[in-house]
Amino acid sequence: MTPLEFHLPALQVAAPMLLAPVVALLRPRGLAWAATLVASLMALAIAIGLTQGALSGESFSYAMGGWEPPYGIELHVDMFSALVLLIVTGASSIALMAGKASLDKAVEHSRQPLFYSAWLLVLSGLAGILVSADAFNIFVFMEISSLASYIVVAGGTDRRALPAVFKYLIMGTIGATFYLIGIGLIYMMTGTLNLADMELRIHDVADQRPILVAAGFITVGLALKAAVFPLHVWLPNAYTYAPHAVTAFLAACATKVSLYVLLRFDFVVFQQNLLGHEFQFAAFLMPLAVLAILAGSAVALFESNIKRLLAYSSVAQIGYILLGASLVSLAGLSASLLHMFNHALAKGTLFLAVMALAMRFTRLDLRHLAGSAQHMPWTMAAFVIAGLSLIGVPGTAGFISKWYLVSAALEAGPVGFFLIAVVVIGSLMAVVYIWRIIETAWFEPPTEAGEVIREAPVTMLAVVWLAALANIYFGLATDLPRELAAGAAASLLGQLP
Amino acid sequence: MQVLGIFYYWVFAILLMIGFYAVVAKINLVKKLIGLSIFQSAVFLLYLTMGKVTGGTAPIYQDDAVNQLFSNPLPQVLILTAIVVGISTTALGLGIVVRIKEEYGSIEEQEIQEIDRR
């Protein structure tokens, strides 16, 4: 390992974090955006480097400040964190590349440096959660990313974003505080904060009640942050009224990072050690996952604002991810991790297409968008591709993970058939709500006749299409995400029989 | 006596619930934030109590003393960080409330919802 490779886990967090205050000082027009993009691409490059290392079997462990774990803070990168790191840094880079024109419209020029500085803090906070192997450190990074994401969500001109963000702040803080209580109780019983060390020590005290209470607090707190149904109420409004580029970034990765912590805690720390935890985990989360799929999709059927429609669809998609994990099998967990990646692709692209649409249409209600495809055929074509991927049509990324999810459910016995039915019903509802948008855009006559609406800017369109083609690419060449997901699932389940 | 012996946990639980109640039940946004602060403070107290060792003293190493019993300093260090996080959250929350007041002219949740519905 070269010295640079050795320091990659620390650089993943430090690079965007150190650049954030610099970006806040860059006043000349466009410079803050350019610097943020460079920092984001740098983070993407580091994530790719870490992924290559993880795929070739290296395990990155970094003792922060030279203090040996478990006494010091340890950074640790394996296939699971590499997979989610790719999602986070990729989503940030793509959203920044495509989003300049849209953000110029949404954020006043004088406030842009501060806005981009907050964006970088979101990025470094999320990356910090993913590389950290220390429970308390994860809490601190979680709060860094949350506080910064409240700022970017409220950064636009839409005043309805403010009450939405306030709700997001209240619920996010409650979730994080629950997590903090959980860690406190575990620390009381084990005297350690290092996850790997915790896994060893918790075994001796696993029958004590505080550990059980801690497992409950941590699961509920993180479920709140991950917008698991019915704790999702903060999500739709926050996504709807945020600046469009921010929605594309956060919808692709923010909830998935919380799910990452949830899965890591439940599978690595609790699963092998707590008696009956496997059953409790499944019995608690599987009904919620089923409800999320059905309720989220059902609400999306009747929404008229397309951003809110897609946000409710996100609630349903989180259900799919949880469903795979709640099967507690290798196949189920790898399907769930694969769906994290593929859903990020599909939903990110959909929100990017919405952003392109919003460049020309100020109101995003379905009735205002009638015939929009006649003015903006390229944008809406990209939307269709990503929509097909969200539904899970063969040949797109979404199909792969749903296929794996269904085959994992088949292994689960009688309950599996019920779950397959849920997945199929959820996908059919997705067909309907995506079709409503497509029908309105392509087949209805434009309402404002005679008005000339141009296609979205070419630079933005190019990036949106790049993301749309990635949906097809990862639907055909599935090796990279599949290998990462399978490896991550195997390491999470490592010690299960 | 066992119930009184762990009174510090009762303080934690009661404060936590007072804060949580305020967050859920109050419609005034500033009162919600006050509730949130109480909620967080309860957790700070939980951490502080767990560091206490009966008869323990401040963890300062002295050459001449033998077999000294120290309190655990780590929870206090952790909670110092969490307090900073709590202050930032409250500050940001109050900042948002100021912006809401500017835009809507109200900080009552229901009135804001009604204005949006119009």
Side-chain angles (χ1 to χ4, degrees):
Chain A
M1 211 186 274
T2 61
L4 180 66
E5 270 182 349
F6 177 73
H7 288 290
L8 278 184
L11 285 173
Q12 180 80 74
V13 187
M17 189 171 276
L18 292 179
L19 275 167
V22 178
V23 165
L25 299 175
L26 296 176
R27 293 289 152 188
R29 203 175 191 89
L31 201 56
W33 170 79
T36 309
L37 180 61
V38 169
S40 179
L41 288 173
M42 208 148 71
L44 178 61
I46 295 172
I48 291 173
L50 285 169
T51 310
Q52 277 171 345
L55 276 175
S56 63
E58 272 178 64
S59 174
F60 295 89
S61 177
Y62 185 88
M64 206 66 204
W67 296 90
E68 286 301 315
Y71 307 107
I73 290 168
E74 185 194 0
L75 305 183
H76 183 86
V77 176
D78 58 8
M79 284 206 204
F80 190 13
S81 19
L83 176 77
V84 191
L85 274 174
L86 276 185
I87 299 175
V88 170
T89 53
S92 161
S93 306
I94 296 267
L96 278 172
M97 259 193 275
K100 176 158 195 318
S102 175
L103 286 172
D104 276 342
K105 269 173 75 173
V107 185
E108 291 161 38
H109 173 61
S110 60
R111 288 195 295 149
Q112 274 190 8
L114 296 171
F115 175 85
Y116 284 118
S117 173
W119 182 299
L120 279 182
L121 286 176
V122 178
L123 179 63
S124 85
L126 293 176
I129 297 172
L130 297 169
V131 300
S132 183
D134 181 283
F136 193 81
N137 218 22
I138 288 176
F139 165 76
V140 174
F141 278 125
M142 204 188 277
E143 285 301 72
I144 291 176
S145 69
S146 304
L147 287 170
S149 58
Y150 307 145
I151 297 172
V152 289
V153 168
T157 42
D158 194 332
R159 71 173 184 179
R160 287 169 300 180
L162 295 167
V165 132
F166 189 81
K167 193 184 243 174
Y168 186 10
L169 181 139
I170 296 276
M171 303 203 69
T173 308
I174 289 175
T177 310
F178 268 31
Y179 174 74
L180 189 62
I181 296 172
I183 305 175
L185 292 171
I186 292 184
Y187 178 73
M188 258 186 206
M189 302 307 292
T190 62
T192 185
L193 291 167
N194 185 293
L195 288 181
D197 199 29
M198 206 181 265
E199 183 189 354
L200 299 175
R201 293 198 194 189
I202 213 168
H203 189 70
D204 299 329
V205 289
D207 53 341
Q208 307 270 325
R209 189 165 295 159
I211 297 292
L212 201 62
V213 176
F217 267 117
I218 289 176
T219 308
V220 173
L222 291 172
L224 187 55
K225 293 218 77 130
V228 173
F229 185 87
L231 304 169
H232 66 281
V233 284
W234 57 266
L235 183 140
N237 273 357
Y239 281 11
T240 309
Y241 302 124
H244 307 295
V246 172
T247 313
F249 173 32
L250 292 183
C253 62
T255 54
K256 289 174 192 69
V257 172
S258 301
L259 278 175
Y260 161 91
V261 185
L262 180 69
L263 294 182
R264 176 139 287 203
F265 246 100
D266 271 312
F267 279 92
V268 175
V269 178
F270 296 136
Q271 201 77 273
Q272 317 74 325
N273 294 317
L274 264 61
L275 196 66
H277 181 77
E278 193 180 314
F279 173 73
Q280 287 168 353
F281 177 77
F284 179 64
L285 288 178
M286 199 181 283
L288 292 186
V290 169
L291 278 174
I293 294 172
L294 297 179
S297 308
V299 176
L301 285 181
F302 299 102
E303 258 321 319
S304 60
N305 180 311
I306 61 170
K307 270 184 102 179
R308 194 195 291 266
L309 186 156
L310 292 175
Y312 272 108
S313 150
S314 275
V315 173
Q317 301 291 326
I318 291 161
Y320 289 114
I321 298 173
L322 269 183
L323 190 68
S326 66
L327 291 170
V328 202
S329 67
L330 189 62
L333 198 55
S334 32
S336 138
L337 303 185
L338 194 57
H339 198 61
M340 274 193 190
F341 185 86
N342 291 343
H343 170 241
L345 269 180
K347 195 50 68 68
T349 313
L350 282 171
F351 274 119
L352 285 177
V354 170
M355 176 176 81
L357 205 58
M359 289 300 289
R360 304 291 180 241
F361 290 85
T362 41
R363 308 198 53 179
L364 291 172
D365 283 329
L366 266 180
R367 59 197 160 88
H368 295 283
L369 296 175
S372 52
Q374 291 173 18
H375 303 296
M376 309 174 76
W378 287 96
T379 304
M380 286 319 289
F383 188 93
V384 171
I385 294 176
L388 293 179
S389 177
L390 187 76
I391 296 165
V393 173
T396 57
F399 170 71
I400 306 296
S401 43
K402 281 201 179 150
W403 176 257
Y404 277 95
L405 196 59
V406 167
S407 30
L410 268 179
E411 288 175 16
V415 76
F417 292 104
F418 171 67
L419 296 180
I420 291 172
V422 169
V423 172
V424 171
I425 292 172
S427 304
L428 286 177
M429 288 203 264
V431 172
V432 177
Y433 62 68
I434 293 293
W435 175 253
R436 280 176 67 211
I437 302 176
I438 293 175
E439 189 190 11
T440 317
W442 285 91
F443 299 115
E444 278 183 19
T447 41
E448 289 113 32
E451 195 181 336
V452 182
I453 299 171
R454 286 172 298 125
E455 182 58 276
V458 181
T459 44
M460 181 185 283
L461 211 53
V463 185
V464 174
W465 265 88
L466 185 74
L469 292 177
N471 273 296
I472 295 180
Y473 176 79
F474 284 110
L476 301 174
T478 58
D479 287 347
L480 171 74
R482 217 183 42 190
E483 204 175 314
L484 277 175
S491 78
L492 279 183
L493 289 167
Q495 288 160 19
L496 268 192
Chain B
M1 280 318 284
Q2 218 194 342
V3 176
L4 287 178
I6 50 165
F7 73 95
Y8 33 89
Y9 292 130
W10 286 108
V11 172
F12 156 69
I14 291 168
L15 269 183
L16 193 77
M17 284 305 114
I18 291 175
F20 199 54
Y21 171 80
V23 171
V24 175
K26 295 291 166 191
I27 51 164
N28 184 304
L29 299 184
V30 174
K31 286 183 184 167
K32 266 183 191 290
L33 277 178
I34 293 172
L36 198 67
S37 290
I38 298 173
F39 182 73
Q40 289 179 313
S41 308
V43 182
F44 303 160
L45 290 179
L46 172 74
Y47 269 74
L48 288 181
T49 55
M50 76 173 80
K52 172 70 180 166
V53 176
T54 312
T57 168
I60 302 166
Y61 182 74
Q62 286 162 317
D63 277 336
D64 50 340
V66 280
N67 285 336
Q68 269 203 320
L69 193 59
F70 293 134
S71 287
N72 185 354
L74 187 69
Q76 303 197 8
V77 179
L78 294 182
I79 222 55
L80 200 60
T81 316
I83 288 172
V84 174
V85 169
I87 289 173
S88 331
T89 311
T90 313
L92 183 60
L94 288 172
I96 294 170
V97 173
V98 170
R99 291 274 293 122
I100 289 177
K101 173 78 179 164
E102 283 173 3
E103 295 283 342
Y104 288 86
S106 169
I107 54 167
E108 306 285 328
E109 206 174 27
Q110 284 162 348
E111 286 176 23
I112 295 167
Q113 280 170 357
E114 262 165 42
I115 293 172
D116 263 345
R117 215 170 284 142
R118 249 176 252 154

